[in-house]
């Protein structure tokens, strides 16, 4: 088995670098196009409250577990399970995580390419170049899909070749503040417009009558998926984390950052939808508020076009830049998982590993570009099933094979007094019982 050291693999230059990179991994398109409408249609602030509780009760403990596995082993998801346990099954869990990262990235770059292309569509629309604008918005055009996905993949590969501190950390330190700034500026504009107040009510007023078992498990699933758990991204990022760092504290900061950005995204998207409705744009699909591609590639562009002029152009370009940044911070972590596997297990130099793995994944992306119907299948198999399956098995590994006491011993590095903390008393209970039970329910709900 290949061996590697922190000096050859790379490390984070600072705790902030790790937090921003991990938060960037967690913050993706789902935070912007799915979470806000879930809140607005499933109880407003009541859903937000349940989501917040689930994020810290389910997502945070699993995140701490993944980071701890990674830092203890100093390896990729496959090598990490090999390094800290003699059990031959769990390296297969690591391999499954690598596969999930590869397949999710294969369709994520296509969707990210759509978002990036729409930024230029806003420019072409403004200048009256209708034919070029229409070409960019044609999501069924395989050549166009593949071309822009290739640009996005090349950008991701370039960042990964820079290494942990000079590539990933430097990029996310630049992009995450930019992402937050864009969201806040757009919120200020949207909330100043007539028609947006109804969106504020839908988003922030609680409807506790909607709280039931279904809503709780919906919020639980959203909390798990929003933190990029289950595929080994945080095992990989944790493997670059210094022994001086406090893991529970770092995991808490990442969780807070993800929740905070998701909240801000909702504060932008839901009022913007009702602003669109006030201008005569239909914001419902199938009797409920639109989400996903219907929201970001139909309703919001129609809003920007209806606003028109320079303001409409600036809003449109800025919004799709926001989407592109959110996607890029996620594609970075998705590519880093298989790249770290190749580097560690096959002793390949980072630059060669990044280009080889990236181009291999792009071949799959090209197939998705020409057959976009594959997105739904890949998303279901590798996201809806693959990620909770990975998260469940990680809980089982830490709780019953590696043992939580060994994990807490690793956390003592950077948190010497952890055994006297409430975290050390509660975390094992969550990892052994509460988290795996909740994740298993959500996993099985895909088949019911």
């Amino acid at each position: 088995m290949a061996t590697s050291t922190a000096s050859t693999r790379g490390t984070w230059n600072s705790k902030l670098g790790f937090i921003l990179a991990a938060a960037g991994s967690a913050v993706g398109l789902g935070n912007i196009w799915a979470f806000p409408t879930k809140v607005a249609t499933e109880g407003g602030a009541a859903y937000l409250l349940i989501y917040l509780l689930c994020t810290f009760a389910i997502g945070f403990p699993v995140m701490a577990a993944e980071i701890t596995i990674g830092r203890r082993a100093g390896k990729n998801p496959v090598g990490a399970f090999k390094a800290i346990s003699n059990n031959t099954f769990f390296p297969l869990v690591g391999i499954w995580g690598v596969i999930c990262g590869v397949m999710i990235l294969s369709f994520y770059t296509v969707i990210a390419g759509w978002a990036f292309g729409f930024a230029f569509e806003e420019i072409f629309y403004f200048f009256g170049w209708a034919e070029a604008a229409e070409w960019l918005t044609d999501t069924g055009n395989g050549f166009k899909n593949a071309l822009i996905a290739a640009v996005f993949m090349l950008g991701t590969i370039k960042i990964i070749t820079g290494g942990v501190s000079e590539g990933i950390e430097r990029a996310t330190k630049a992009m995450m503040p930019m992402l937050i700034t864009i969201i806040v500026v757009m919120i200020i504009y949207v909330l100043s417009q007539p028609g947006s107040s109804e969106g504020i009510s839908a988003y922030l007023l609680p409807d506790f009558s909607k709280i039931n078992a279904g809503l709780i498990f919906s919020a639980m699933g959203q909390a798990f998926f929003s933190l990029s758990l289950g595929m080994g991204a945080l095992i990989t990022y944790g493997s670059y984390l210094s022994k001086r760092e406090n893991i529970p504290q770092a995991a808490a900061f990442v969780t807070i950052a993800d929740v905070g950005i998701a909240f801000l995204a909702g504060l932008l998207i839901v009022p913007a939808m009702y602003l669109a409705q006030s201008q005569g744009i239909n914001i419902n699909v199938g009797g409920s508020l639109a989400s996903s591609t219907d929201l970001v590639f139909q309703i919001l562009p129609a809003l920007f076009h209806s606003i028109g002029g320079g303001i409409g152009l600036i809003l449109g370009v800025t919004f799709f830049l926001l989407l592109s940044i959110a996607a890029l911070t996620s594609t970075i972590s998705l590519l880093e998982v298989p790249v770290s596997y190749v580097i560690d297990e096959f002793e390949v130099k980072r630059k060669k590993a990044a280009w080889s793995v990236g181009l291999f994944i792009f071949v799959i992306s090209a197939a998705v570009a020409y057959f976009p119907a594959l997105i739904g299948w890949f998303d279901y198999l590798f996201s809806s099933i693959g990620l909770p399956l990975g998260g469940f098995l990680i809980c089982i590994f830490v709780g019953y094979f590696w043992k939580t006491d060994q994990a807490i011993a690793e956390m003592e590095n950077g948190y010497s007094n952890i055994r006297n903390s409430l975290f050390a008393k509660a975390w094992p209970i969550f990892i052994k019982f509460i988290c795996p039970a909740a994740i298993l329910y959500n996993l099985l709900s895909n088949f019911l």
Side-chain angles (χ1 to χ4, degrees):
M1 181 175 66
T3 59
S4 56
T5 65
S7 61
T8 57
R9 298 181 78 251
T11 58
W12 304 110
N13 278 336
S14 64
K15 179 189 290 186
L16 178 63
F18 167 75
I19 290 169
L20 290 177
S25 172
V27 174
L29 296 175
N31 291 67
I32 297 172
W33 74 17
F35 174 75
T37 51
K38 273 193 175 183
V39 175
T41 57
E42 298 188 28
Y47 183 94
L48 277 174
L49 177 62
I50 301 298
Y51 168 75
L52 185 64
L53 293 173
C54 289
T55 300
F56 280 94
I58 307 301
F60 167 68
V62 179
M63 178 182 291
E66 287 203 31
I67 295 170
T68 304
I69 291 171
R71 192 177 74 173
R72 173 67 182 84
K75 293 180 179 292
N76 67 88
V78 180
F81 286 114
K82 289 180 182 178
I84 62 179
S85 173
N86 292 324
N87 189 291
T88 58
F89 170 74
F90 286 98
L92 298 176
V93 177
I95 291 173
W96 176 245
V98 172
I99 292 171
C100 286
V102 166
M103 299 308 293
I104 292 171
L105 181 56
S106 73
F107 70 81
Y108 209 89
T109 51
V110 175
I111 300 174
W114 291 345
F116 190 58
F118 264 78
F120 290 93
E121 183 274 342
E122 293 293 330
I123 297 172
F124 294 164
Y125 180 87
F126 176 79
F127 286 106
W129 301 336
E131 190 172 332
E134 185 178 346
W135 183 77
L136 282 170
T137 59
D138 182 7
T139 56
N141 185 322
F143 174 76
K144 184 270 298 180
N145 290 345
L147 179 64
I148 304 180
V151 172
F152 215 88
M153 178 63 85
L154 288 173
T156 304
I157 292 171
K158 181 63 177 175
I159 291 170
I160 295 296
T161 59
V164 178
S165 58
E166 296 303 311
I168 300 171
E169 183 172 352
R170 177 179 288 183
T172 51
K173 275 185 173 179
M175 289 189 291
M176 290 302 288
M178 190 186 304
L179 182 146
I180 294 169
T181 301
I182 290 172
I183 292 177
V184 171
V185 170
M186 292 194 72
I187 287 172
I188 293 170
Y189 175 81
V190 168
L191 295 188
S192 70
Q193 301 304 301
S196 64
S197 58
E198 189 177 348
I200 290 288
S201 299
Y203 187 60
L204 294 180
L205 291 181
D207 183 356
F208 292 107
S209 67
K210 291 192 174 183
I211 295 180
N212 52 37
L215 182 144
I216 292 171
F217 284 110
S218 170
M220 193 179 298
Q222 178 66 32
F224 183 84
F225 287 116
S226 73
L227 291 172
S228 290
L229 302 172
M231 68 174 178
L234 290 169
I235 293 177
T236 303
Y237 277 10
S239 73
Y240 307 130
L241 189 64
S242 166
K243 294 284 187 181
R244 299 189 304 270
E245 302 299 348
N246 182 322
I247 288 178
Q249 182 187 74
F253 282 145
V254 174
T255 305
I256 290 168
D258 179 68
V259 169
I261 293 173
F263 173 77
L264 288 175
L267 204 56
L268 166 64
I269 296 299
V270 179
M273 293 179 72
Y274 281 91
L275 173 59
Q277 181 174 253
S278 72
Q279 298 194 19
I281 299 168
N282 180 29
I283 63 172
N284 295 290
V285 175
S288 60
L289 282 181
S291 64
S292 190
T293 53
D294 291 326
L295 168 62
V296 299
F297 298 133
Q298 294 183 33
I299 292 170
L300 293 181
L303 170 63
F304 303 140
H305 294 168
S306 70
I307 292 173
I311 293 178
L313 170 65
I314 293 169
L315 286 174
V317 172
T318 303
F319 175 75
F320 286 109
L321 177 62
L322 163 66
L323 273 187
S324 299
I325 292 171
L328 184 56
T329 58
S330 294
T331 59
I332 290 169
S333 67
L334 287 167
L335 182 57
E336 179 62 18
V337 173
V339 167
S340 69
Y341 168 69
V342 171
I343 291 171
D344 290 347
E345 303 303 306
F346 301 98
E347 297 183 329
V348 177
K349 297 291 185 182
R350 173 169 284 274
K351 187 173 183 179
K352 182 178 178 181
W355 280 104
S356 300
V357 174
L359 293 176
F360 169 77
I361 296 172
F362 176 70
V363 172
I364 306 174
S365 296
V368 175
Y370 278 91
F371 303 99
L374 290 172
I375 293 174
W377 289 98
F378 285 4
D379 184 44
Y380 175 75
L381 179 58
F382 299 106
S383 295
S384 300
I385 295 176
L387 298 190
L389 177 60
F392 171 76
L393 291 172
I394 287 169
C395 290
I396 298 302
F397 173 77
V398 175
Y400 299 99
F401 289 86
W402 186 34
K403 306 293 187 182
T404 53
D405 189 63
Q406 293 294 319
I408 290 174
E410 171 59 32
M411 293 184 204
E412 282 186 296
N413 295 304
Y415 188 0
S416 59
N417 199 36
I418 190 173
R419 291 191 185 274
N420 297 322
S421 68
L422 176 62
F423 176 89
K425 296 175 176 62
W427 182 74
I429 297 171
F430 279 85
I431 284 296
K432 287 182 176 180
F433 306 109
I434 298 173
C435 293
I439 295 169
L440 182 61
Y441 178 89
N442 273 281
L443 175 61
L444 295 177
S445 68
N446 287 291
F447 304 102
L448 301 176

